[in-house]
C-alpha cells in the first residue's frame, strides 16, 4: 500500500457546489443517482487538471455531463477512481451506480444492521456509495432523496430538514432531505428502517425551538431517556460555556447494533453504536451511563468543532477530535465530580497513550503520513490531542481560551482548516507568541521533565531546576524542546500550601504557579519562604509528560495525605503504590517471599478509613495501579510476576483490613430507587471495590456476600459488580451466577457483551478454552464488532491470557485477526494492535509474537492490518 504524506497536500482541483443524491434501497442492491454541480477550484495548483473522483466497489451504470450521455471511452475507471479528462470549468455531472449494502461486512459506506440501512462515511466511506471527491476540504450543500419499501422501511432519514415526502408505486415511498450547511462527504448520513422514536424539544438561548428525536429499534424505546436528558444538558452547556447554539430545526440520533466505533457526528443525524445510547438501570452500569452522557455530548459538540469548522485534510484530525474530547471532558468534569473525571482521563492517557507513544506506531498529534487513515483514530490524536488543547487553556487562562475559541469561529466558520489555524487564533486573540507550542503537534513521544531542587535556609530561597527531554520515536531521532506548562505548588511541613513569590516579584501571588518550561533546562527561584518546602509538581496533570523528582516514600505518603491539589493527592498515592508493587514484582522474580511494606499499609488504611473523603475519590485512591501500567514501568515485561504481585497485594490489603473493608461495604449501601448521580454512583463504585478486595480472601463468607449482592441487585452496576467479584473466587456460586445471568439476559446482546467480557478477562488458566467455547454461543457473531470487542478484544487485553507463555494466546488472536481481516479490516486492525509491543517482552514471548506477526505479514492483508503489522516488524 502507498503512503500518503501531509507535505503532498494540494488544494482540490474541483469544488462541488451542490450535491443531489437519490438512493433507491432494494433487497438485492441499491441504486445511487448523483447529480453534482462542479466547478474548477480557483485555488487549485494545476489549472487544467482532469476530474478525478474517488470510488470503490461500485458498479457504474451511466455518466452524463451537462445533459449528454458519455460513452465508456470518455472516462477511465480503475479500482479506486473514475477520471474524466477535458471537462469544462463549470458543469453538471450525473452518475448512476449500483452497490450491495447487504454484502457490506466492512461497515463503511451504506450497510445493513438488524434489517435497517445505515451509513458510516468517516473517514472515506462515502466513496463506497458513489463516485465523489471524497476529501474533507470539498464542502457541498446536499439534497438527498431516500426511496424504500414503506412496510420495511417506514422511517427514511438523512441530514438537514425534511422538505418533501410522498408515496410511490409498488409500496415504495420517499423522503427528500435538504441540509443548508455546506459539508464534506464524511458527514453525510442515511438511515432507513423500522424504528421507534423518542421525541422532545429544546429551546435555544436565542429562543429557537429545535425538535429532538432519538430513533431506536422498537423494543429499545424504553432505554432512551438518559440519552435524551444528556443531549439537552450538552446543548445548554455549549451555549453557556462557549456561546455555541445548535443551527438546524431538527437534531436526530439513531442507534445501530453494528458499528465499528462509538458514534458518528453526521450533520443533524448522529449515528450511535447502540451500546453508547441505550440505558436502563437494570441493563446499564454507572460507567455506561457516564459514557453515554460523555459521548452524546462529544458528538453534539462536533456540530461546531468538526462540522461548522472542519478539517482541511485527515492529518488535521486532532483539530476536531482533540478539541472535541477536551470539550466533552470539560463538560463531564463540570456536570459531575471534576477530580474523579480528571483521574480517570489521566489514568487512561498514561496506560494507553504513553504506551502508544513509546511503541512502533508512535506518531505526533498531527501525523506526517499514513497508509490507512482509519488507523489514526488513536489515543494520541484523541486523548493527547485533548491534553494539547487543555494546555492552551492552562497557558492562556479560561477567559483567554474562550477569546481564542471565539476568534477561531469568527475566522473559520464554514471552512476546512488546520491545527496551525487553531494555534494562530489562540495566539492572536491573546497577543501571545505560541510558535514553540507548534511542536506538540509535530513531535511524537512523551517528554520527560526531571526536577531538582535546592534550599537555602539563610536566604529563604528555594530553587527548582527543570530539565526536559523526549525519547526518539520512529522517524524522529532528535526532539526540540517543547513549551511545557508545569503547574507547581509548595507544601509546608503541615501540608499547607505556601504563598508563592518568584524572584523579582514584589509580592506573593497565589499558591499554584504555572511555570513555562521552554528550554532544555531552566531555573525558578522562590523567595521569602520560612522553611524548606516539598514540591507538588504538574498539578492537575497540567502537561502530558512524565515527571521525575526523587521523592522518598514518606514524602509521597505525605503528599497523598495533604496536597491541596486533589489530583496530585491521588497521583502521589499512585506513585507510591507503583513503587511498592514494582518491589513485590522484583521479590517474586528473585524467588523471595513478597511482603507489603508496613508504611504502605498504614497509608492505605488511612485513606480507607478517612471519613472526610468523597466516596468516588476514595475509590480512585484505593484502586491499585493496573497490570498494564506496571508493565510499562519494567524494562522486560513479566506478565506472570506482575499478576502474582498484584494479586498478592490485593490479598494482603484485603486480609489486613478485612474489618474496614466490610465496614465500608455495609455503610455504603445506596437506598431507594436507582439514580444516576455522582453521589450514588460514587458510593456504588466504592462498595463494589470493597467487594472485589474481599473476594480476594476467597472462602465461603465472601462467596456468600457476593452471591447475595448478585441475587438482590436491582441495577446492573451492582449485579455486574457482584458477578465480577465472583469471577475471582472458585466455587459453585460463580458458575451458578454466570448461568443465571445468561438465562436472564439471553435476548439482550448488549448485556451479554458484559457477560462475554467478564469471562474473557478472567485471569484463569482455562480462559482461552472458555473463550473458544463462547465463540460457539448463538449470541456470538464475528461479524458484529460489539461481540468481537467484548469477547476477543477482552481476551486480547487480558495480560495473562494473551501472554500465556506457551504462545496459545498469540496464536488464537492471530487467527482471529486473519478471519477479521477479510470481513472487517477496521476491527481486525484494532485487534492486531496488541502485538505491536512485542519487543518489550522476554525472548521466548518475543519470538512467538514475532512469528505470529510474520505469519500475518505473509497473508493477503488489508491496508489497515498491513500498516500495523509492517510497522511493528520494522
Ligand atoms: N468522528 C467519529 C469517528 C468515527 C469513525 C472513524 C473511522 C471509522 C468509523 C468511525 N466511526 C466514527 C467519532 C468521533 O470521534 O466522534
Ligand atoms: Zn469525535
Amino acid at each position: 500500500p502507498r503512503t500518503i504524506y501531509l507535505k503532498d497536500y494540494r488544494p482540490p482541483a474541483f469544488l462541488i457546489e451542490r450535491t443531489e443524491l437519490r438512493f433507491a434501497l432494494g433487497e438485492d442492491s441499491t441504486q445511487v443517482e448523483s447529480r453534482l454541480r462542479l466547478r474548477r477550484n480557483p485555488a487549485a495548483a494545476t489549472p487544467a487538471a482532469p476530474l478525478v473522483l474517488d470510488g470503490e466497489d461500485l458498479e457504474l451504470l451511466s455518466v452524463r455531463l451537462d445533459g449528454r450521455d458519455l460513452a465508456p471511452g470518455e472516462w477511465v475507471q480503475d479500482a479506486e477512481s473514475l477520471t474524466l479528462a477535458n471537462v469544462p470549468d463549470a458543469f453538471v455531472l450525473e452518475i448512476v451506480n449500483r452497490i450491495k449494502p447487504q454484502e457490506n461486512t466492512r461497515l463503511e459506506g451504506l450497510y445493513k444492521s438488524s434489517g435497517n440501512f445505515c451509513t458510516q462515511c468517516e473517514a472515506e466511506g462515502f466513496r463506497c456509495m458513489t463516485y465523489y471527491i471524497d476529501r474533507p476540504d470539498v464542502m457541498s450543500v446536499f439534497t438527498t432523496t431516500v426511496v424504500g419499501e414503506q412496510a420495511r422501511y417506514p422511517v427514511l432519514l438523512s441530514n438537514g430538514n425534511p422538505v418533501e415526502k410522498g408515496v410511490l408505486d409498488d409500496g415504495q415511498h420517499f423522503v427528500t432531505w435538504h441540509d443548508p450547511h455546506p459539508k464534506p462527504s464524511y458527514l453525510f448520513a442515511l438511515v432507513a428502517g423500522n424504528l421507534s422514536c423518542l421525541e422532545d424539544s429544546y429551546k435555544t438561548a436565542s429562543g429557537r425551538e429545535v425538535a429532538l428525536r432519538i430513533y431506536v429499534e422498537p423494543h429499545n424505546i424504553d432505554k432512551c431517556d438518559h440519552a435524551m436528558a444528556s443531549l439537552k444538558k450538552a446543548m445548554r452547556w455549549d451555549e453557556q460555556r462557549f456561546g455555541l447554539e445548535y443551527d438546524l430545526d431538527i437534531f436526530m440520533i439513531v442507534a445501530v447494533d453494528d458499528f465499528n466505533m462509538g458514534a458518528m457526528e453526521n450533520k443533524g443525524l448522529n449515528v450511535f453504536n447502540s451500546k453508547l445510547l441505550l440505558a436502563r438501570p437494570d441493563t446499564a452500569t454507572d460507567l455506561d451511563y457516564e459514557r453515554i452522557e460523555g459521548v452524546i455530548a462529544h458528538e453534539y459538540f462536533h456540530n461546531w468543532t468538526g462540522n461548522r469548522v472542519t478539517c482541511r485534510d485527515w492529518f488535521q484530525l486532532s483539530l476536531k477530535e482533540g478539541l472535541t474530547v477536551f470539550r466533552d471532558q470539560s463538560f463531564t468534569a463540570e456536570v459531575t465530580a471534576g477530580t474523579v473525571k480528571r483521574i480517570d482521563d489521566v489514568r487512561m492517557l498514561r496506560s494507553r497513550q504513553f504506551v502508544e507513544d513509546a511503541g512502533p506506531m508512535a506518531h505526533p498529534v498531527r501525523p506526517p503520513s499514513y497508509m490507512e487513515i482509519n488507523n489514526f483514530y488513536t489515543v494520541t490524536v484523541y486523548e493527547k490531542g485533548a491534553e494539547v488543547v487543555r494546555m492552551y487553556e492552562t497557558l492562556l487562562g479560561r477567559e483567554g481560551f474562550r477569546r481564542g475559541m471565539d476568534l477561531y469561529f469568527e475566522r473559520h466558520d464554514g471552512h476546512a482548516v488546520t491545527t496551525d489555524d487553531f494555534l494562530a487564533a489562540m495566539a492572536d486573540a491573546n497577543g501571545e507568541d505560541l510558535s514553540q507550542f507548534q511542536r506538540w503537534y509535530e513531535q511524537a513521544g512523551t517528554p520527560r521533565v526531571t526536577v531538582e531542587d535546592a534550599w537555602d535556609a539563610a536566604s529563604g530561597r528555594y530553587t527548582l531546576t527543570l530539565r526536559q527531554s523526549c525519547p526518539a520515536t520512529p522517524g524522529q531521532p532528535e526532539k526540540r524542546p517543547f513549551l511545557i506548562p508545569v503547574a507547581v505548588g509548595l507544601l509546608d511541613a503541615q501540608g499547607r500550601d505556601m504563598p508563592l513569590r518568584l524572584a523579582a516579584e514584589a509580592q506573593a501571588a497565589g499558591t499554584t504557579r504555572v511555570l513555562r518550561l521552554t528550554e532544555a533546562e531552566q531555573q525558578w527561584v522562590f523567595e521569602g519562604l520560612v522553611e524548606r518546602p516539598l514540591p507538588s509538581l504538574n498539578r492537575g496533570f497540567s502537561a502530558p509528560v512524565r515527571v521525575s523528582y526523587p521523592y522518598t516514600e514518606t514524602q509521597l505518603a505525605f503528599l497523598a495525605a495533604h496536597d491541596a491539589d486533589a489530583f496530585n493527592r491521588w497521583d502521589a498515592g499512585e506513585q507510591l503504590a507503583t513503587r511498592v508493587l514494582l518491589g513485590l514484582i522484583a521479590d517474586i522474580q528473585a524467588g523471595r517471599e513478597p511482603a507489603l511494606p508496613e508504611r504502605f499499609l498504614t497509608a492505605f488504611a488511612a485513606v480507607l478509613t478517612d471519613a472526610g473523603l468523597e466516596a468516588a475519590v476514595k475509590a480512585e485512591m484505593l484502586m491499585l495501579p493496573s497490570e498494564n501500567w506496571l508493565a510499562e514501568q519494567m524494562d522486560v515485561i513479566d506478565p506472570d510476576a506482575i499478576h502474582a504481585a498484584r494479586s498478592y497485594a490485593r490479598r494482603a490489603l484485603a486480609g489486613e483490613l478485612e474489618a474496614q473493608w466490610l465496614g465500608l461495604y455495609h455503610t455504603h449501601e445506596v437506598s431507594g430507587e436507582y439514580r444516576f448521580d455522582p453521589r450514588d454512583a460514587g458510593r456504588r463504585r466504592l462498595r463494589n471495590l470493597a467487594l472485589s478486595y474481599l473476594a480476594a480472601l476467597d472462602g465461603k463468607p465472601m462467596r456468600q456476600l457476593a452471591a447475595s449482592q448478585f441475587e438482590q441487585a436491582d441495577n446492573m452496576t451492582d449485579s455486574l459488580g457482584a458477578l465480577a467479584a465472583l469471577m475471582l473466587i472458585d466455587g459453585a456460586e460463580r458458575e451458578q451466577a454466570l448461568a443465571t445471568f445468561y438465562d436472564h439476559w439471553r435476548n439482550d446482546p448488549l448485556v451479554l457483551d458484559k457477560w462475554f467480557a467478564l469471562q474473557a478477562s478472567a485471569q484463569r488458566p482455562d480462559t482461552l478454552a472458555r473463550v473458544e467455547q463462547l465463540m460457539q454461543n448463538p449470541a456470538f457473531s464475528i461479524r458484529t464488532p460489539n461481540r468481537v470487542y467484548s469477547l476477543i478484544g477482552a481476551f486480547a487485553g487480558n495480560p495473562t491470557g494473551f501472554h500465556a507463555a506457551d504462545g496459545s494466546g498469540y496464536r488464537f488472536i492471530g487467527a482471529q485477526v486473519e478471519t477479521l481481516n477479510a470481513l472487517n479490516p477496521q476491527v481486525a486492525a484494532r485487534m492486531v494492535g496488541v502485538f505491536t509491543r512485542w519487543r518489550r517482552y522476554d525472548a521466548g514471548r518475543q519470538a512467538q509474537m514475532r512469528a505470529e506477526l510474520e505469519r500475518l505479514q505473509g497473508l493477503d492483508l488489508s491496508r489497515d492490518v498491513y500498516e500495523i503489522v509492517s510497522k511493528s516488524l520494522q
Side-chain angles (χ1 to χ4, degrees):
R2 104 197 133 95
T3 299
I4 298 161
Y5 295 91
L6 168 60
K7 66 180 166 48
D8 294 340
Y9 171 83
R10 299 286 177 278
F14 291 85
L15 301 175
I16 308 179
E17 287 168 345
R18 298 268 156 189
T19 300
E20 289 166 39
L21 300 169
R22 185 176 188 278
F23 288 79
L25 306 169
E27 289 321 292
D28 177 47
S29 65
T30 288
Q31 181 150 313
V32 187
E33 298 173 18
S34 91
R35 187 169 187 279
L36 311 178
R37 187 164 356 126
L38 292 124
R39 70 178 166 85
R40 280 191 192 277
N41 182 3
T46 38
L51 172 68
V52 182
L53 300 174
D54 304 295
E56 284 174 21
D57 290 329
L58 306 176
E59 185 190 346
L60 182 60
L61 299 177
S62 66
V63 185
R64 275 163 83 86
L65 197 150
D66 283 337
R68 183 177 74 83
D69 278 323
L70 299 190
E74 292 181 89
W75 70 74
V76 177
Q77 205 184 353
D78 67 20
E80 293 179 353
S81 62
L82 177 71
T83 303
L84 280 77
N86 306 320
V87 293
D89 289 345
F91 56 101
V92 173
L93 189 69
E94 291 165 274
I95 295 178
V96 182
N97 67 275
R98 202 178 285 142
I99 50 177
K100 299 232 167 192
Q102 282 80 352
E103 292 170 16
N104 181 350
T105 59
R106 304 166 66 99
L107 313 187
E108 292 174 80
L110 182 66
Y111 63 93
K112 286 205 91 173
S113 174
S114 309
N116 301 322
F117 283 96
C118 63
T119 53
Q120 172 54 38
C121 294
E122 187 175 2
E124 296 178 337
F126 195 85
R127 64 187 64 185
C128 306
M129 302 190 302
T130 184
Y131 286 104
Y132 203 75
I133 310 178
D134 191 14
R135 46 187 282 174
D137 54 354
V138 172
M139 299 171 82
S140 182
V141 172
F142 281 68
T143 304
T144 305
T145 299
V146 189
V147 184
E149 196 185 319
Q150 189 154 24
R152 278 183 211 262
Y153 312 111
V155 174
L156 303 173
L157 308 175
S158 191
N159 317 86
N161 301 311
V163 289
E164 200 184 339
K165 56 180 75 169
V167 176
L168 303 167
D169 295 339
D170 301 335
Q172 303 277 307
H173 72 143
F174 76 94
V175 180
T176 299
W177 294 81
H178 178 73
D179 179 2
H181 298 280
K183 65 168 176 289
S185 49
Y186 84 86
L187 290 173
F188 173 85
L190 177 161
V191 171
N194 178 15
L195 299 165
S196 295
C197 172
L198 174 69
E199 290 198 62
D200 207 330
S201 69
Y202 178 83
K203 194 183 219 131
T204 68
S206 68
R208 275 186 318 102
E209 207 63 47
V210 179
L212 307 179
R213 296 196 188 140
I214 298 183
Y215 290 91
V216 295
E217 287 181 61
H219 62 273
N220 285 325
I221 194 69
D222 61 343
K223 297 185 190 137
C224 303
D225 296 339
H226 177 62
M228 185 63 90
S230 304
L231 174 61
K232 290 193 283 186
K233 227 182 196 176
M235 292 176 90
R236 190 63 71 211
W237 186 86
D238 218 14
E239 290 174 348
Q240 289 169 350
R241 174 82 195 265
F242 288 109
L244 299 172
E245 254 189 42
Y246 186 61
D247 54 5
L248 285 165
D249 301 335
I250 174 167
F251 185 80
M252 298 173 284
I253 302 180
V254 181
V256 302
D257 288 337
D258 302 86
F259 205 67
N260 284 343
M261 303 249 292
M264 180 63 212
E265 69 266 24
N266 316 297
K267 182 78 189 187
L269 177 55
N270 287 188
V271 175
F272 270 61
N273 185 326
S274 52
K275 79 172 166 204
L276 286 166
L277 191 135
L278 303 176
R280 216 175 48 198
D282 60 329
T283 62
T285 62
D286 290 329
L287 190 61
D288 294 324
Y289 272 80
E290 191 184 310
R291 284 201 185 124
I292 290 168
E293 187 173 84
V295 178
I296 292 267
H298 179 99
E299 305 310 330
Y300 173 73
F301 295 156
H302 266 314
N303 190 52
W304 277 94
T305 50
N307 301 4
R308 292 285 291 246
V309 183
T310 195
C311 302
R312 187 194 72 174
D313 53 72
W314 290 121
F315 300 100
Q316 319 297 329
L317 184 57
S318 197
L319 174 78
K320 74 177 178 82
E321 295 304 347
L323 177 53
T324 306
V325 171
F326 169 73
R327 276 154 51 69
D328 84 56
Q329 289 178 348
S330 307
F331 164 75
T332 303
E334 285 173 25
V335 301
T336 62
T339 306
V340 172
K341 173 66 177 157
R342 189 70 186 131
I343 292 170
D344 286 343
D345 290 340
V346 172
R347 209 198 284 278
M348 128 80 146
L349 185 88
R350 281 178 174 159
S351 64
R352 295 195 42 212
Q353 197 282 322
F354 279 20
V355 174
E356 181 167 271
D357 237 352
M361 285 296 288
H363 54 276
V365 167
R366 189 183 67 190
S369 66
Y370 58 76
M371 285 182 199
E372 171 52 65
I373 184 57
N374 286 332
N375 286 333
F376 285 80
Y377 288 76
T378 58
V379 276
T380 298
V381 165
Y382 276 65
E383 268 69 28
K384 185 174 181 180
E387 294 301 323
V388 169
V389 175
R390 183 179 297 272
M391 285 191 285
Y392 286 109
E393 197 186 52
T394 305
L395 289 164
L396 305 171
R398 196 171 148 119
E399 285 168 14
F401 183 74
R402 172 68 193 265
R403 275 194 296 277
M405 289 288 279
D406 290 349
L407 184 60
Y408 174 66
F409 292 121
E410 195 182 309
R411 284 181 176 172
H412 303 300
D413 186 14
H415 294 103
V417 304
T418 64
T419 55
D420 296 343
D421 295 317
F422 186 77
L423 186 145
M426 285 291 154
D428 296 350
N430 290 284
E432 290 252 7
D433 175 4
L434 292 175
S435 43
Q436 190 182 356
F437 196 80
Q438 176 68 21
R439 292 177 193 163
W440 282 109
Y441 293 102
E442 293 172 347
Q443 299 188 141
T446 306
R448 180 175 288 280
V449 175
T450 308
V451 182
E452 231 177 68
D453 59 352
W455 167 239
D456 180 4
S459 62
R461 288 158 69 96
Y462 177 70
T463 306
L464 278 178
T465 305
L466 272 58
R467 297 187 183 88
Q468 61 164 303
S469 62
C470 183
T473 48
Q476 294 187 329
E478 305 282 340
K479 307 291 164 81
R480 289 176 300 162
F482 292 85
L483 161 51
I484 305 179
V486 185
V488 169
L490 301 179
L491 273 68
D492 69 16
Q494 273 69 49
R496 291 175 307 219
D497 261 356
M498 296 166 132
L500 302 183
R501 177 164 70 79
L502 284 161
E505 288 178 348
Q507 46 184 310
T511 53
T512 299
R513 298 294 288 265
V514 177
L515 309 180
R516 287 190 177 197
L517 176 61
T518 54
E519 312 289 328
E521 177 176 334
Q522 254 167 287
Q523 272 191 350
W524 284 267
V525 179
F526 294 92
E527 294 186 336
L529 302 174
V530 291
E531 59 179 288
R532 181 183 187 124
L534 181 66
S536 164
L537 301 162
N538 209 30
R539 281 187 155 173
F541 200 68
S542 57
V545 299
R546 295 175 198 266
V547 177
S548 9
Y549 173 86
Y551 288 116
T552 63
E553 291 187 6
T554 311
Q555 287 173 329
L556 286 175
F558 184 81
L559 285 171
H562 300 290
D563 199 324
D565 185 85
F567 172 85
N568 270 22
R569 250 194 336 265
W570 166 80
D571 197 25
E574 176 85 350
Q575 284 184 53
L576 181 59
T578 302
R579 246 190 241 186
V580 166
L581 280 154
L582 290 173
L584 295 174
I585 292 168
D587 287 341
I588 287 167
Q589 286 181 318
R592 290 188 295 266
E593 195 60 38
L596 213 52
E598 198 54 45
R599 233 189 348 264
F600 178 66
L601 190 61
T602 312
F604 195 88
V607 176
L608 179 50
T609 51
D610 183 344
L613 265 181
E614 209 185 305
V617 175
K618 188 182 274 198
E620 293 285 2
M621 297 192 75
L622 296 175
M623 242 146 75
L624 291 179
S626 69
E627 292 188 21
N628 279 344
W629 172 245
L630 294 169
E632 278 317 298
Q633 315 311 310
M634 298 180 72
D635 292 332
V636 178
I637 300 173
D638 180 345
D640 299 321
I642 294 172
H643 182 60
R646 199 168 177 278
S647 305
Y648 164 80
R650 288 174 60 78
R651 257 195 325 278
L653 290 167
E656 296 286 342
L657 303 168
E658 181 177 347
Q660 290 88 331
W661 284 119
L662 275 170
L664 204 70
Y665 182 82
H666 290 300
T667 51
H668 282 75
E669 201 159 345
V670 181
S671 56
E673 231 176 55
Y674 174 91
R675 273 185 317 161
F676 173 67
D677 75 9
R679 188 179 165 278
D680 282 5
R683 289 172 73 86
R684 282 187 287 269
R685 189 165 175 173
L686 184 56
R687 190 164 182 264
N688 281 313
L689 183 78
L691 186 66
S692 81
Y693 269 98
L694 290 166
L697 293 179
D698 231 327
K700 202 163 168 68
M702 295 315 158
R703 289 209 304 268
Q704 280 174 346
L705 190 67
S708 97
Q709 176 172 319
F710 180 74
E711 279 156 26
Q712 285 162 24
D714 67 350
N715 64 80
M716 183 50 75
T717 308
D718 287 339
S719 174
L720 206 67
L723 193 56
L726 283 168
M727 291 300 294
L728 300 167
I729 318 175
D730 280 322
E733 288 88 346
R734 184 183 69 218
E735 293 307 318
Q736 178 62 50
L738 281 170
T740 308
F741 193 92
Y742 179 75
D743 284 343
H744 190 77
W745 295 113
R746 61 191 319 143
N747 295 318
D748 189 324
L750 292 179
V751 180
L752 282 190
D753 281 344
K754 301 176 192 305
W755 183 79
F756 282 132
L758 262 189
Q759 296 176 81
S761 325
Q763 294 187 277
R764 309 173 51 80
D766 61 350
T767 294
L768 178 55
R770 169 84 56 127
V771 170
E772 284 173 323
Q773 179 205 329
L774 288 171
M775 284 179 71
Q776 308 308 318
N777 187 294
F780 180 80
S781 162
I782 197 148
R783 287 165 192 261
T784 304
N786 285 351
R787 299 304 90 75
V788 174
Y789 297 141
S790 68
L791 187 58
I792 300 170
F795 180 78
N798 174 339
T800 45
F802 178 63
H803 292 291
D806 64 2
S808 52
Y810 305 144
R811 289 189 295 278
F812 172 74
I813 294 297
Q816 305 316 313
V817 170
E818 186 177 345
T819 307
L820 285 163
N821 176 65
L823 289 172
N824 186 330
Q826 276 188 43
V827 174
R830 284 183 185 268
M831 292 297 114
V832 83
V834 280
F835 286 102
T836 53
R837 303 280 282 149
W838 63 277
R839 286 191 174 86
R840 298 291 321 280
Y841 291 81
D842 56 84
R845 287 185 170 92
Q846 273 195 29
Q848 300 192 76
M849 290 171 91
R850 184 187 176 145
E852 200 51 42
L853 281 168
E854 285 171 347
R855 186 186 75 76
L856 288 169
Q857 199 177 28
L859 304 174
D860 181 16
L861 290 181
S862 59
R863 235 186 355 240
D864 311 55
V865 178
Y866 177 82
E867 178 168 33
I868 295 175
V869 168
S870 60
K871 288 183 175 171
S872 299
L873 286 170
Q874 257 163 29

